[in-house]
């Protein structure tokens, strides 16, 4: 998985298709990403005691990494990425179309 925390991505499927957001958290082992503002879910919590109130807690559920694409500012679209290996062996993620390096 080549996505990192802080990357700007666009969502390709599901309820939030077409939405852009920043990655808040990554789970590389499960290939899941949490994106700010996407895939919002509500968790309902029952009251435990009679004078307590139940609660609704909203949170952003993780999405599979295959459903998001890195957003290229220059192309203005979600793009696949390539690894660019410099002469000194340093690797950089670049846009597969316009070769612009992705920051972070
Ligand atoms: Zn590009």
């Amino acid at each position: 998985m080549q996505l990192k925390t802080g990357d700007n991505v666009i969502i390709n499927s599901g309820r939030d298709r077409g939405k852009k957001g920043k990655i808040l958290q990554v789970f590389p082992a499960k290939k899941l990403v949490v994106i700010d503002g996407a895939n919002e879910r509500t968790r309902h919590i029952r009251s435990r005691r009679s004078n307590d109130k139940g609660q609704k807690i909203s949170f952003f559920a993780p999405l599979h990494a295959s459903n998001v694409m890195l957003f290229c500012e220059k192309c203005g679209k979600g793009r696949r990425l390539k690894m660019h290996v410099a002469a000194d062996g340093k690797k950089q993620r670049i846009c597969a179309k316009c070769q612009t390096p992705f920051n972070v």
Side-chain angles (χ1 to χ4, degrees), residues 13-98:
S13 72
R15 200 173 57 174
D16 287 321
R17 183 196 302 219
K19 231 182 215 184
K20 273 191 281 174
K22 202 173 227 184
I23 296 183
L24 297 175
Q25 217 181 342
V26 288
F27 302 101
K30 287 183 169 176
K31 293 195 162 55
L32 296 174
V33 290
V34 179
I35 297 153
D36 190 22
N39 206 17
E40 191 175 14
R41 304 272 174 88
T42 313
R43 182 163 284 160
H44 302 265
I45 296 176
R46 266 183 96 89
S47 61
R48 292 281 179 104
R49 271 166 276 146
S50 57
N51 55 349
D52 271 358
K53 275 185 178 170
Q55 283 182 66
K56 278 196 272 186
I57 296 172
S58 69
F59 64 103
F60 301 121
L63 292 166
H64 197 259
S66 67
N67 294 330
V68 304
M69 266 182 151
L70 266 178
F71 188 79
C72 176
E73 294 292 340
K74 196 176 169 192
C75 300
K77 278 183 177 178
R79 288 286 189 220
R80 283 179 296 146
L81 61 98
K82 272 186 187 170
M83 295 306 281
H84 176 75
V85 184
D88 59 358
K90 272 189 181 168
K91 285 185 196 167
Q92 203 174 22
R93 299 179 304 164
I94 59 166
C95 173
K97 195 85 175 178
C98 69

Side-chain angles (χ1 to χ4, degrees), residues 1-12:
M1 190 160 88
Q2 288 161 320
L3 299 171
K4 293 175 185 174
T5 309
D7 285 346
N8 280 312
V9 293
I10 189 159
I11 298 158
N12 289 325

